């Protein structure tokens, strides 16, 4: 029971990682007209989950979890470097590194466990968010499947929350989108433990290009 509650606390919107400040390129998609209603938002989110950073982040989390359980600080450093290098733009790099570092600071301070502080210190600087969560979950010896599913759902919910603030949809539509895509999160997370780092890759070019445009967008409310 404590493991489930710990995971809920870590992935709660109230956990001090600053997720509310980022839209992961969604604001640029709304500005360009790519996302303008419930249907287009659902399609955009489904692509990000299955073909973009949603899937990549889960792969990175799973490998960080395994390295932390093995106490392999060197593997975590290499994995974190890879995760940060995969960020396609300055803003996405800031999004993952700021949230990851904030997550580790809060978790080491409040949910300390033997080995966690040592492994977190090995990253020595910016920590990619999925690597940070995987590291903490592995150090706490938490089971991987619920962590993957929970992280995937939190990723989806954060983006829907961003959409409520910048896209022409309401709370009822946002709730319907989460309900519709939750089975996809479950199915995706079930495939992750069998994947290697060679399976990393994305095909969300509009998101990447939109993230570059967002850096100079005239009016914006998010940092990415």
């Amino acid at each position: 029971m404590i493991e489930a509650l710990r995971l809920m606390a870590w992935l709660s919107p109230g956990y001090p990682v600053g997720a509310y400040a980022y839209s992961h390129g969604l604001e640029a998609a709304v500005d360009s007209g790519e996302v303008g209603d419930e249907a287009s938002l659902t399609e955009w989110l489904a692509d990000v989950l299955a073909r973009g950073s949603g899937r990549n982040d889960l792969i990175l989390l799973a490998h960080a979890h395994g390295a932390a359980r093995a106490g392999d600080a060197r593997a975590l450093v290499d994995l974190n470097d890879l995760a940060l290098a995969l960020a396609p733009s300055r803003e996405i790099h800031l999004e993952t590194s700021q949230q990851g570092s904030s997550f580790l600071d809060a978790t080491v301070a409040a949910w300390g466990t033997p080995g966690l502080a040592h492994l977190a210190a090995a990253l020595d600087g910016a920590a990619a968010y999925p690597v940070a969560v995987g590291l903490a979950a592995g150090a706490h010896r938490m089971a991987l499947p619920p962590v993957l599913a929970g992280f995937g759902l939190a990723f989806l919910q954060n983006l829907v929350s961003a959409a409520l603030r910048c896209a022409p949809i309401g709370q009822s539509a946002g709730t319907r989108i989460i309900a519709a895509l939750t089975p996809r999160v479950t199915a995706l997370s079930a495939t992750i433990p069998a994947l290697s780092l060679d399976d990393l890759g994305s095909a969300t070019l509009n998101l990447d290009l939109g993230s570059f445009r967002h850096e100079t967008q005239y009016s914006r409310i998010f940092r990415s």
Side-chain angles (χ1 to χ4, degrees):
M1 179 64 74
I2 186 62
E3 188 170 296
L5 294 178
R6 183 190 303 127
L7 180 62
M8 291 173 64
W10 288 359
L11 299 177
S12 162
Y15 209 67
V17 300
Y20 63 87
Y22 301 97
S23 79
H24 201 70
L26 177 59
E27 186 174 25
V30 172
D31 184 70
S32 70
E34 181 183 357
V35 172
D37 55 21
E38 182 177 346
S40 58
L41 176 60
T42 302
E43 183 179 3
W44 191 90
L45 291 171
D47 281 345
V48 176
L49 278 172
R51 302 179 178 88
S53 52
R55 177 176 178 273
N56 279 349
D57 281 0
L58 291 178
I59 294 173
L60 293 165
L61 187 158
H63 283 267
H65 180 274
R69 290 195 66 139
D72 191 342
R74 181 69 258 171
L76 283 167
V77 170
D78 291 343
L79 186 66
N80 188 59
D81 288 344
L82 173 61
L84 293 173
L86 289 173
S89 70
R90 178 178 61 86
E91 290 191 351
I92 298 299
H93 186 282
L94 173 65
E95 177 180 321
T96 191
S97 61
Q98 186 269 305
Q99 289 187 77
S101 298
S102 297
F103 177 87
L104 282 182
D105 288 344
T107 306
V108 169
W111 301 85
T113 192
L116 174 58
H118 168 72
L119 292 173
L123 299 187
D124 190 30
Y129 188 39
V131 173
V133 175
L135 185 163
H140 274 273
R141 320 299 290 183
M142 295 166 66
L144 179 59
V147 176
L148 289 171
F151 186 89
L153 181 60
F155 178 85
L156 172 64
Q157 289 175 313
N158 284 335
L159 290 179
V160 169
S161 176
L164 293 176
R165 286 171 281 160
C166 72
I169 68 164
Q171 291 184 336
S172 295
T175 302
R176 286 194 299 270
I177 291 170
I178 292 172
L181 294 181
T182 294
R184 298 197 188 193
V185 172
T186 302
L188 174 63
S189 64
T191 69
I192 299 300
L195 301 181
S196 73
L197 294 178
D198 290 337
D199 293 300
L200 288 166
S202 67
T204 52
L205 297 180
N206 278 354
L207 187 156
D208 297 345
L209 294 173
S211 179
F212 288 122
R213 291 194 300 269
H214 188 262
E215 294 179 2
T216 57
Q217 191 170 305
Y218 174 72
S219 176
R220 61 184 192 172
I221 60 176
F222 294 98
R223 300 182 73 185
S224 70

